Amino acid sequence: QVQLVESGGGLVQPGGSLRLSCAASGFTFRYYAMSWYRQAPGRERELVAAISSSDTADYVEPVKGRFTISRDNAKSTVYLQMNSLKPEDTAVYYCKAQQYYIDGPYWGKGTLVTVST
């Protein structure tokens, strides 16, 4: 049974940092592309960052230079380090796992990030 469990969200002031984690189980993690999405109130879910099974990372323009995605295959965990947070980063952040054309996607239940004074 595939499980993705996000953690690390919370309330942070503008300019602050958070590190999100997504612990995976139920599949062979190292073969899957992992990504982070977010959904702000009243908006569509959107891609934030992705990392391939071969460790190639990619980011959407609004988070480039501020967010870093990484993975630890030994721990079956993907991370999102978020620095210089802005109020517009406020959203529920979701983890997704996919082995393109073979399996998935699978989604976690999300973790809430609130950037506010």
Side-chain angles (χ1 to χ4, degrees):
Q1 177 184 355
V2 172
Q3 277 198 312
L4 297 170
V5 181
E6 301 96 335
S7 61
L11 174 64
V12 63
Q13 293 189 344
S17 297
L18 281 176
R19 188 174 86 150
L20 306 184
S21 300
C22 172
S25 61
F27 61 98
T28 309
F29 181 82
R30 65 183 180 273
Y31 294 138
Y32 283 66
M34 302 298 297
S35 51
W36 287 96
Y37 283 70
R38 67 185 178 187
Q39 187 167 17
R43 300 189 64 175
E44 297 282 316
R45 190 174 298 189
E46 63 178 5
L47 176 67
V48 176
I51 187 165
S52 71
S53 58
S54 57
D55 233 22
T56 300
D58 200 9
Y59 305 89
V60 295
E61 198 61 39
V63 308
K64 279 183 180 177
R66 300 190 298 123
F67 290 10
T68 302
I69 188 171
S70 61
R71 63 190 298 157
D72 185 337
N73 289 339
K75 295 182 178 179
S76 296
T77 301
V78 62
Y79 304 97
L80 186 68
Q81 177 67 44
M82 307 187 294
N83 299 329
S84 302
L85 283 160
K86 305 176 181 181
E88 52 263 43
D89 295 317
T90 295
V92 177
Y93 284 72
Y94 298 89
C95 172
K96 187 185 86 170
Q98 188 165 9
Q99 193 176 14
Y100 290 102
Y101 310 112
I102 298 175
D103 194 27
Y106 302 106
W107 293 90
K109 294 184 178 181
T111 186
L112 176 63
V113 172
T114 304
V115 185
S116 175
T117 56

